[in-house]
Amino acid sequence: MITANSPDLRSWISVPADSDFPIQNIPFGIGSWNGEAPVPVTRIGDTVVDLSILAEAGLLDGTGIAREAFLAPHLNEVMQGGKQTMRALRERLSELFRHDNATLRDDNTLREDALLPVDQVVMHLPVTIGDYTDFYSSRQHAYNVGCMFRDPNNALLPNWLHLPVGYHGRASSIIPSGQPIHRPMGQRRPDPEKPPVFGPSVQLDFELEVAFITFAGKALGQRISTAEAEDHIFGLVLFNDWSARDIQAWEYVPLGPFLAKNFASSISPWVVTLDALEPLRVAGPVQDPAPLPYLVAERDGCFDVQLEVGIAPEGGAETTVCRSNFKHMYWNMAQQLAHHTVNGCNIRCGDMMASGTISGPEQDSYGSMLELSWRGTKPLQLADGSERKFINDGDTVVMRGHGSRNGVRIGFGEVRAKVLPVVE
Ligand code: MN
């Protein structure tokens, strides 16, 4: 039992009904305000708490994390001690925020220095991301794509049920929520009988994903087992893997996605720890055929997190176009990490690994426009009456996620980004 997860806990910091951030969450991020340097922060309800102030006051001593780590503009230093120290930090913060703990509650000066309304805080990337990997672990998504681009009778490629398929993506273009993206330019071949053309992508898409962030792994050459994997996972963020379908369709043979993916990926700013998500743990789909022994995970490895995607046209209301769930993952995070390292590949503190598009079984639970509009053959209607096959310039795409157990709601907030026209 993780004490910080107890449903009975209450905070002296007010938490609005249906907030994603009750005292049982305690996510981590990097925030700045008044133009000052970004520092590690946490959040309860609509209040952001500056961890550098708490550390300077000595309130975070005893967690095994040096005070200086809380002055860095990313969480990598704070995370250096791994799972046990981050668990100690989250427990310490939980104690400080409890309704009956007077340490911070009754220290007016410290409280006024350390607490800020969330709308005054600019959120940044939570970690300096070393390497980024994208998996392809939702069976429904892989099946849908296989049906569209290959053969409904052989939709899954022969390897899919035997290993978590993935590719190495690009870390430099992962951006925080709120930062707009530009429609990418590129090569595509709209007419298979003619040469390719160059211009703006006309099939810009989102991919609804969840990504995990790692603590330091093992040395090069060593493996992380499924049993050990979660000790190397810090927490999760929502992940929009922007994709240009027309560029992708032309370029991806034989080495996989390249420019169709690496122009931007947007993430939510709050890292929700695996510990905070523990009450939402559920069994994943039955795996048949049984995986090879190195991929067998003894523990339930999926998490019941409801996900949704909305599209808001320029100046218009948002329409929810997708409702999915993180529990639909066929290959779970422990299996992904075990597979990633089974050849001796090392991972580092701050690496990011995304789930792959998370599609559920129903048509409105598909996690991309490619699937929702079935490659443009079934346009979606938005609240303003306009139609979408893919994403238009001026559209803002918003993803949200949360789960509830025992009256406690644990959520991620949102990741949003507006699509701007191509750079001329
Ligand atoms: Mn993806």
Side-chain angles (χ1 to χ4, degrees), residues 132 134-135 167 207 209 241 261 356-357:
Y132 153 55
D134 194 23
F135 285 97
Y167 68 95
E207 288 190 337
E209 306 195 20
D241 182 20
K261 301 277 190 174
T357 307

Side-chain angles (χ1 to χ4, degrees), residues 10-23 44-47:
R10 285 182 293 127
S11 178
W12 49 266
I13 300 173
S14 74
V15 178
D18 286 339
S19 171
D20 282 350
F21 305 102
I23 189 173
I44 291 200
D46 292 332
T47 301

Side-chain angles (χ1 to χ4, degrees), residues 88-290:
L89 174 61
R90 182 166 168 268
E91 289 286 349
R92 178 66 186 137
L93 292 168
S94 172
E95 288 167 14
L96 288 170
F97 298 148
R98 281 172 210 172
H99 74 285
D100 55 358
N101 188 315
T103 309
L104 181 56
R105 184 192 68 191
D106 295 351
D107 187 330
N108 291 348
T109 309
L110 194 55
R111 204 184 60 236
E112 282 167 22
D113 280 352
L115 273 58
L116 294 110
V118 69
D119 56 14
Q120 291 181 19
V121 180
V122 177
M123 295 300 293
H124 306 266
L125 284 181
V127 290
T128 296
I129 302 160
D131 286 296
Y132 153 55
T133 300
D134 194 23
F135 285 97
Y136 190 59
S137 291
S138 152
R139 183 174 186 161
Q140 187 71 49
H141 173 68
Y143 174 80
N144 289 345
V145 172
C147 285
M148 274 183 270
F149 290 93
R150 288 184 297 272
D151 171 9
N153 295 315
N154 295 289
L156 292 181
L157 286 165
N159 60 4
W160 201 91
L161 291 170
H162 296 278
L163 55 83
V165 170
Y167 68 95
H168 284 120
R170 183 136 191 106
S172 69
S173 54
I174 298 176
I175 56 175
S177 178
Q179 183 172 332
I181 68 158
H182 285 277
R183 179 175 298 272
M185 298 285 280
Q187 261 195 48
R188 56 199 167 87
R189 189 174 65 164
D191 184 341
E193 305 301 320
K194 292 182 180 165
V197 298
F198 176 75
S201 168
V202 297
Q203 294 183 341
L204 179 60
D205 200 356
F206 61 80
E207 288 190 337
L208 170 62
E209 306 195 20
V210 171
F212 67 85
I213 297 170
T214 62
F215 292 119
K218 295 183 179 178
L220 185 68
Q222 299 190 25
R223 297 180 294 278
I224 295 174
S225 69
T226 55
E228 297 166 324
E230 290 191 1
D231 288 341
H232 296 277
I233 297 176
F234 168 38
L236 282 62
V237 294
L238 302 174
F239 191 101
N240 181 353
D241 182 20
W242 293 103
S243 300
R245 299 300 177 194
D246 42 0
I247 296 172
Q248 184 178 1
W250 171 231
E251 75 172 359
Y252 87 108
V253 181
L255 288 184
F258 185 34
L259 304 181
K261 301 277 190 174
N262 71 3
F263 58 94
S265 308
S266 302
I267 64 169
S268 56
W270 296 102
V271 184
V272 178
T273 64
L274 207 50
D275 279 351
L277 293 166
E278 186 58 41
L280 305 177
R281 185 185 293 273
V282 290
V286 173
Q287 294 186 309
D288 181 20

